[in-house]
């Protein structure tokens, strides 16, 4: 029976009622039927019910009037007023001991709390209402409660449970021919099937709802909005737009803000998918304003999520982050832990464990955060690739002294920005549990010596003393994670140098505890710097935090170094403490457990000699797939400057790449990931699966600003052979390309005479007449020959020691010591103006880190020659 017929019958009964109390009870039933379709009329009749009930002191009539008013305010979105009215209704129900009214008030309480996003309170009130209606045997009202509980499961994304409860209610409402309730359950079922992506079923229930709903009624507009969003998911944008626009117009005519928010949201989503971003933004913001006005937390969650993604697409990182944080905050409020505790106590036939929903919500939030971090990294790294590459190209063009100074400043600024990006990515990896602590054997003394070499130069620049004292009782070969230990120490010592203007830094390394093959080592990093005040000492490990805004302004940085170090120490099952006195200095203490390696001696092994990198690449034929013109220029000119005979073709997207690959035989593809028309992922899949066999095996190297661990894993999973991050270092790129070319040509190379191979290798190692360049050092020391000579002497003192470590590490196959020594040598060679293409020191560090045994011998042999020439040139400068 439709609502109009039911109201007409009730009005007939009303006219024939004998007493005022009977008339008021029938008026209450009429209001119940009217309020969904005409809330303003229902509100007026509720006021009438109130006045007439008070006139005869009919308490139950007064209570029903309060309950109806509360429900009307729920429909209107005036939730505070609604709660006030329901409090009166509930109080009267308890005084009169009328369980039916009590259950109705509780049910309406639950509805308001659901709209406010307070799922916990909604559950409590629905549960209490359900218990009362079960005790009364009121099947219709039980079904109404269960419909509301189904909607809660829908909110919690537990669609199977939601469907179970909704289907229980459906036959009861159908049997009673209760069209108002049927429209509600059809809407719920349509939304459940929509969320389950069973769009044909969703369409069926929204169509049923639309058929039974009266014209220009809230139910009609709700049905039309449902049809619109289903057609949107079916990619029938024409029908989607038709129904959504009708629903929007109807919602405004009937002042139905719920439908207005829904239609604005889906129209915005529709425009977003069509690439009409500004129009999409306009509609999202209108939906956001309405949802805020009516405190619709569930809607706000969805809108903030989409706005975060849209602003990310528009490369507006601050706005994207703002909406992501709002999304996370609302999720946390809505899905608070006590929600699940109360959910477990729900007394119905099938108790459902929903703790897993909390995990799903957390995973969704983490996924959004990771996606945001990946996109942010990509958006920053892509233009930086052009800046870094073009700066490097300009430096090689022999600029004037003033131009060189400016270019060096650009280079230094981009290096600093990359440090900040890497800090943020490290933090996001830690938060997402993506960092694994290794357990490998390493020499703690070699690690500390390498750290000292790295940091000593920075300390000397500020004329600070620097020392590391190592407890002789600590065994040399330990088992742990040397990379992360080095990162922690470099962070802490770097901070000590940064915040110290006079005096010095001392690192004490002590055996703290010993238990069989397990030990604990304590690292105390003490400085004589500015210190930390008591008000900040408890917050310094928080993300993006420094000891006051004045400190941040003066010293810069992200405020993430200590956060990352602290969390890495925690992951290593250690602890970090700090003691400080303002103006007197600071001591950071790190206690980390290690295992003692059973083998305290190093393995010695001879390394095979092989061809060097440039031999592999000298005549390579490369396809560069890159849509950004600046990045094309940087990659092409950088490679051609180093490898004049290399041939490079350029494709602007994946489709062009496939056409070029069909026509030409390339040695390798350098593949960008994010491109229009066809992206790098899709292109790689097509090459690996669809192209002829002789084309499928081509080496593909991802050149990308997406450097998160999950992204890199995905590249390898789809068939890419390697990756290089943007902005790239030439040496890193050359080494990666060489590794791929070596794998491609290994069998052919093995058939060539060894003498010829050695001859070609020697050609690639030809040295320039002068390997050092004092331009940077002179500029750095502002033309002061004494300061310049001081740095030259430091280099002549340190470099032979580090070179000895490299050669010794090569002989003993000790990759860790080679990596540390190369890392220490790299900045020192930069100060002496020894270019990377001359020294290959970055390649040595990278090859040692990757344990590339076949590459290292020739590189280190070449470095020995470079250093021999450098020493002679620098000695001549000192002799002048």
């Amino acid at each position: 029976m439709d609502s109009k017929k039911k109201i007409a019958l009730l009005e007939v009964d009303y006219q024939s009622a004998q007493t005022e109390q009977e008339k008021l009870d029938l008026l209450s039933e009429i209001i119940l039927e009217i309020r969904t379709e005409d809330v303003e009329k229902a509100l007026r009749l509720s006021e009438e019910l109130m006045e007439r009930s008070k006139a005869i002191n009919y308490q139950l009539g007064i209570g029903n009037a309060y309950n109806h008013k509360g429900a009307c305010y729920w429909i209107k979105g005036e939730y505070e007023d609604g709660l006030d009215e329901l409090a009166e209704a509930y109080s009267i129900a308890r005084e009169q001991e009328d369980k039916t009214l009590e259950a109705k008030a509780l049910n309406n309480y639950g509805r308001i709390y659901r709209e406010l996003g307070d799922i916990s309170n909604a559950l409590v009130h629905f549960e209490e209402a359900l218990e009362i209606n079960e005790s009364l045997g009121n099947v219709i009202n039980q079904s109404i409660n269960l419909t509301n509980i189904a909607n809660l499961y829908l909110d919690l994304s537990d669609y199977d449970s939601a469907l179970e409860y909704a289907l229980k209610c459906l036959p009861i409402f159908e049997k009673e021919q209760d069209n108002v309730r049927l429209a509600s359950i059809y809407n719920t079922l349509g939304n459940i099937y929509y969320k389950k992506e069973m769009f044909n079923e969703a369409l069926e229930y929204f169509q049923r709802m639309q058929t039974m709903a009266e014209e220009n009624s809230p139910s009609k507009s709700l049905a039309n909005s449902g049809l619109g969003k289903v057609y949107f998911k079916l990619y029938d944008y024409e029908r989607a737009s038709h129904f959504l626009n009708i629903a929007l117009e109807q919602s405004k005519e009937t002042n139905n803000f719920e439908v207005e928010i829904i239609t604005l949201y889906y129209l915005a989503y529709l425009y977003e998918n069509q690439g009409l971003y500004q129009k999409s933004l306009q509609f999202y913001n209108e939906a956001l304003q309405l949802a805020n006005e009516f405190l619709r937390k569930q809607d706000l969650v969805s809108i903030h999520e989409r706005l975060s993604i849209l602003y990310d697409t528009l490369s507006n990182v601050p706005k994207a982050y703002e909406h992501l944080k709002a999304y996370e905050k609302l999720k946390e409020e809505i899905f608070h832990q006590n929600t699940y505790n109360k959910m477990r106590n729900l007394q119905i036939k099938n108790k459902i464990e929903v703790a897993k929903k909390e995990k799903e919500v957390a995973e969704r939030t983490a996924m959004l955060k990771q996606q945001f971090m990946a996109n942010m990294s990509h958006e920053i790294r892509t233009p930086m690739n052009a800046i870094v590459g073009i700066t490097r190209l300009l430096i090689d063009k022999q600029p004037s002294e003033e131009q060189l100074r400016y270019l060096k400043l650009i280079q230094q600024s981009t290096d600093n920005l990359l440090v900040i990006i890497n800090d943020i990515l490290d933090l996001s990896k830690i938060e997402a549990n993506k960092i694994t602590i290794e357990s490998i054997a390493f020499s703690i003394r070699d690690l500390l010596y390498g750290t000292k070499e790295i940091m000593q130069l920075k300390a000397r620049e500020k004329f600070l003393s620097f020392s590391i004292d190592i407890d002789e009782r600590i065994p040399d070969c330990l088992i742990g994670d040397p990379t992360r230990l080095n990162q922690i120490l470099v962070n802490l010592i770097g901070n000590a140098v940064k915040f110290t203007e006079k005096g010095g830094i001392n690192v004490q390394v002590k055996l703290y505890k010993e238990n069989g093959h397990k030990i604990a080592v304590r690292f105390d990093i003490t400085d004589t710097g500015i210190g930390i005040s008591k008000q900040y000492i408890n917050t310094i490990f928080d993300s993006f935090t420094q000891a006051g805004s004045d400190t941040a302004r003066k010293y810069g940085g992200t405020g993430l170094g200590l956060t990352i170090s602290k969390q890495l120490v925690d992951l290593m099952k250690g602890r970090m403490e700090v003691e400080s006195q303002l103006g007197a200095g600071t001591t950071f203490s790190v206690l980390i457990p290690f295992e003692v390696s059973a083998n305290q001696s190093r393995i010695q092994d001879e390394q095979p000699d092989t061809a060097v990198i440039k031999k592999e690449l000298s005549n390579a034929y490369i396809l560069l797939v890159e849509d950004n013109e600046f990045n094309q220029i940087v990659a092409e000119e950088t490679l051609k400057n180093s490898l004049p005979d290399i041939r490079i073709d350029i494709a602007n997207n994946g489709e062009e790449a496939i056409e070029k690959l069909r026509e030409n035989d390339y040695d390798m593809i350098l593949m960008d990931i994010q491109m229009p028309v066809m992206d790098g992922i899709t292109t790689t899949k097509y090459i690996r699966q669809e192209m002829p066999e002789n084309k499928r095996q081509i080496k593909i190297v991802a050149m990308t600003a997406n450097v998160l661990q999950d992204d890199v894993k995905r590249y390898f999973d789809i068939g890419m052979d390697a990756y290089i991050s943007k902005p790239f270092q030439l040496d890193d790129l050359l080494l990666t390309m060489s590794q791929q070319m070596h794998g491609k040509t290994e069998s052919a190379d093995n058939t060539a005479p060894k003498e010829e191979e050695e001859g070609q290798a020697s050609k690639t190692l030809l040295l320039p007449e002068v390997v050092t360049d004092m331009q940077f050092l002179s500029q750095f020391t502002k033309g002061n020959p004494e300061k310049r000579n001081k740095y030259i002497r430091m280099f002549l003192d340190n470099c032979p020691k580090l070179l000895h470590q490299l050669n010794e590490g090569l002989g003993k196959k000790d990759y860790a010591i080679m990596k540390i020594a190369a890392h220490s040598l790299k900045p020192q060679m930069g100060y002496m103006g020894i270019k990377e293409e001359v020294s290959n020191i970055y390649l040595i560090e990278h090859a040692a880190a990757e344990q590339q045994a076949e590459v290292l011998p020739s590189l280190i042999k070449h470095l020995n020659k470079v250093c021999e020439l450098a020493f002679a040139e620098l000695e001549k400068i000192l002799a002048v």
Side-chain angles (χ1 to χ4, degrees), residues 18 299 342 349 403 456 731 786 844 872:
Q18 299 298 309
D299 293 327
K342 290 171 183 174
K349 288 183 180 179
Q403 289 170 334
Q456 195 167 42
D731 318 297
E786 291 183 7
I844 294 171

Side-chain angles (χ1 to χ4, degrees), residues 194 199 203 206 224-244 262-275 280 284 306:
Y194 174 82
F199 298 125
L203 205 59
F206 285 130
N224 285 328
S225 70
L227 290 171
K229 66 187 185 184
V230 174
Y231 281 123
F232 167 71
K233 283 295 186 180
L234 291 171
Y235 302 103
D236 189 341
Y237 291 162
E238 186 176 346
R239 285 187 182 179
S241 179
H242 170 75
F243 283 107
L244 288 171
I262 292 169
T263 50
L264 285 169
Y265 172 83
Y266 277 100
L267 282 168
Y269 206 162
L270 178 65
Y271 293 133
E272 182 185 348
N273 277 16
Q274 293 175 324
S280 172
Y284 277 135
R306 291 307 319 165

Side-chain angles (χ1 to χ4, degrees), residues 745-811:
T745 61
E746 186 173 10
S747 58
D749 285 348
N750 287 342
T751 62
K754 189 171 182 181
E755 292 79 5
E756 183 183 345
E757 185 177 293
E758 288 177 351
Q760 289 181 2
S762 66
K763 289 178 185 177
T764 65
L765 295 174
L766 291 174
L767 292 168
E769 291 183 8
V770 179
V771 297
T772 59
D773 182 352
M774 291 294 101
Q775 188 175 9
F776 173 73
L777 191 57
S778 296
Q779 188 178 341
F780 179 75
T781 58
K782 297 180 180 179
N784 187 322
E786 291 183 7
K787 286 186 178 180
R788 180 201 65 190
N789 291 349
K790 181 189 77 170
Y791 284 108
I792 291 174
R793 291 189 189 94
M794 285 168 56
F795 177 80
L796 292 173
D797 182 49
N798 290 326
C799 186
K801 299 173 186 175
L802 294 170
L803 198 59
H804 175 72
Q805 287 183 28
L806 268 174
N807 287 292
E808 187 180 54
L810 179 64

Side-chain angles (χ1 to χ4, degrees), residues 533-548:
S533 66
K534 291 182 179 179
Q535 71 181 102
Y536 290 115
I537 202 157
N538 293 324
T539 65
I540 58 171
F541 295 120
D542 295 343
S543 301
F544 303 101
T545 299
Q546 291 186 336

Side-chain angles (χ1 to χ4, degrees), residues 110-135:
R111 284 167 164 166
I112 291 179
Y113 283 124
R114 179 193 171 214
E115 299 296 353
L116 288 169
D118 190 345
I119 306 296
S120 302
N121 264 328
L123 277 170
V124 168
H125 289 87
F126 288 147
E127 176 189 0
E128 291 182 17
L130 182 62
E131 286 179 354
I132 292 171
N133 285 320
E134 284 177 340
S135 68

Side-chain angles (χ1 to χ4, degrees), residues 687-698 700:
I687 292 170
R688 294 296 187 230
Q689 297 170 12
E690 304 296 333
M691 296 202 73
E693 188 64 34
N694 64 321
K695 303 288 185 178
R696 287 185 192 181
Q697 304 306 317
I698 188 168
I700 301 177

